[in-house]
Amino acid sequence: MRSQVAEMMHLSTGTFLDPCPKENTPSLVSSISVNTPAELHASKGDTVTLSCTFTSTSTPTSKMRVDWSYRPQSGGTPGSLFHFSSRALPPIGGQFQGRIQWRGVPARGDASIALVNATLSDNGTYTCSVRNPPDVHGSPTSHTVLTVTPRVASVRFSDVAVLLAFVLLPSTIITFILIGRMLCPKKRHDQSKACRSPIEVTEGEEYGVYPAGAKARRAACCDLYMMDTADEDGYYDLKKRPPADEGYAESQC
């Protein structure tokens, strides 16, 4: 009876009551995106930067969290490697103790870390996870495979320069000496023929026989110019003297 009265009142006033009231529509949840390089390569002893960047619609706050985990190349369960929440919390034990450095800048969307003095046992998969409430959905994690190889021995430029100095310098000196010895004998032979003592004679000269076509060397103009007066007189007397028939040769010096 009361329901009928209420219905009649609603009809008279023109208002209706919805028997199924609508629920509040949930607000859209923002998402976050995390990115890391798929692969990294390093040599033993290098400092490797494990890059991790993220994009969030919300400004990073003190509630933001960054977690790095590591799974060995041989497989197994990933283990915690590094944690950041308002401050950096590096590992306090295990193979990475003292070798992880925080390189991230959350305000710029950077959550990178550095691995110091990489070793062959560090090969494996590194996972970066970022939570920045309310942005917790989307792709909050990303993976990087690190491969560390033995360092190849390299020769420094200074070592090469020293080696070349010790090898090329003596070789160059010896080469010049040999070339000099090849070119000088003829000159020394000519000098030995020009400068002989009065008692030295060549074959045939001891009998007053001279090779065909042999002539006394005439003094050049420059030789006459350099002579003293006494030398000039001796030179002209020598020219006027008849050929000697004695069994000795005059000095050519």
Side-chain angles (χ1 to χ4, degrees):
M1 184 69 180
R2 292 180 180 178
S3 61
Q4 292 178 355
V5 175
E7 184 177 353
M8 293 177 62
M9 291 177 62
H10 290 310
L11 289 174
S12 62
T13 58
T15 59
F16 298 91
L17 295 176
D18 190 355
C20 299
K22 296 181 180 180
E23 297 180 357
N24 294 331
T25 303
S27 60
L28 296 177
V29 178
S30 301
S31 61
I32 187 171
S33 177
V34 179
N35 298 285
T36 61
E39 295 182 355
L40 286 176
H41 297 271
S43 298
K44 182 180 179 181
D46 288 348
T47 296
V48 186
T49 298
L50 300 173
S51 177
C52 177
T53 58
F54 64 92
T55 302
S56 177
T57 56
S58 300
T59 303
T61 63
S62 59
K63 296 180 179 180
M64 190 197 76
R65 294 179 54 186
V66 177
D67 291 288
W68 279 88
S69 60
Y70 164 73
R71 185 178 65 183
Q73 189 176 30
S74 58
T77 303
S80 179
L81 174 65
F82 180 86
H83 177 75
F84 177 88
S85 180
S86 299
R87 62 188 184 93
L89 299 174
I92 57 176
Q95 71 181 79
F96 297 104
Q97 182 178 4
R99 297 197 296 130
I100 300 296
Q101 298 177 352
W102 172 244
R103 296 288 180 85
V105 183
R108 299 180 182 178
D110 191 352
S112 304
I113 60 174
L115 174 61
V116 180
N117 191 21
T119 64
L120 300 181
S121 60
D122 295 336
N123 290 336
T125 302
Y126 294 78
T127 302
C128 177
S129 177
V130 180
R131 299 287 190 276
N132 184 36
D135 297 354
V136 293
H137 297 279
S139 301
T141 60
S142 185
H143 310 280
T144 296
V145 177
L146 174 64
T147 302
V148 181
T149 56
R151 182 178 296 276
V152 179
S154 59
V155 180
R156 295 176 300 178
F157 176 76
S158 58
D159 297 336
V160 176
V162 173
L163 182 61
L164 291 177
F166 276 103
V167 173
L168 294 182
L169 185 59
S171 301
T172 304
I173 295 176
I174 294 174
T175 301
F176 279 111
I177 293 176
L178 293 177
I179 294 175
R181 291 180 63 86
M182 292 172 62
L183 298 178
C184 290
K186 182 177 180 181
K187 182 178 180 180
R188 290 199 300 268
H189 179 69
D190 295 341
Q191 291 178 351
S192 63
K193 291 179 62 178
C195 302
R196 293 179 297 175
S197 65
I199 62 174
E200 290 181 327
V201 293
T202 59
E203 183 178 357
E205 290 181 351
E206 55 182 347
Y207 302 105
V209 180
Y210 296 91
K215 296 182 179 180
R217 184 178 66 87
R218 295 184 179 182
C221 295
C222 60
D223 295 335
L224 296 177
Y225 180 79
M226 297 298 294
M227 286 184 180
D228 295 334
T229 305
D231 295 335
E232 293 180 1
D233 295 339
Y235 171 74
Y236 289 112
D237 291 341
L238 182 62
K239 291 186 63 177
K240 295 177 181 180
R241 184 183 305 171
D245 296 332
E246 289 79 7
Y248 64 90
E250 298 180 1
S251 174
Q252 300 296 324
C253 296

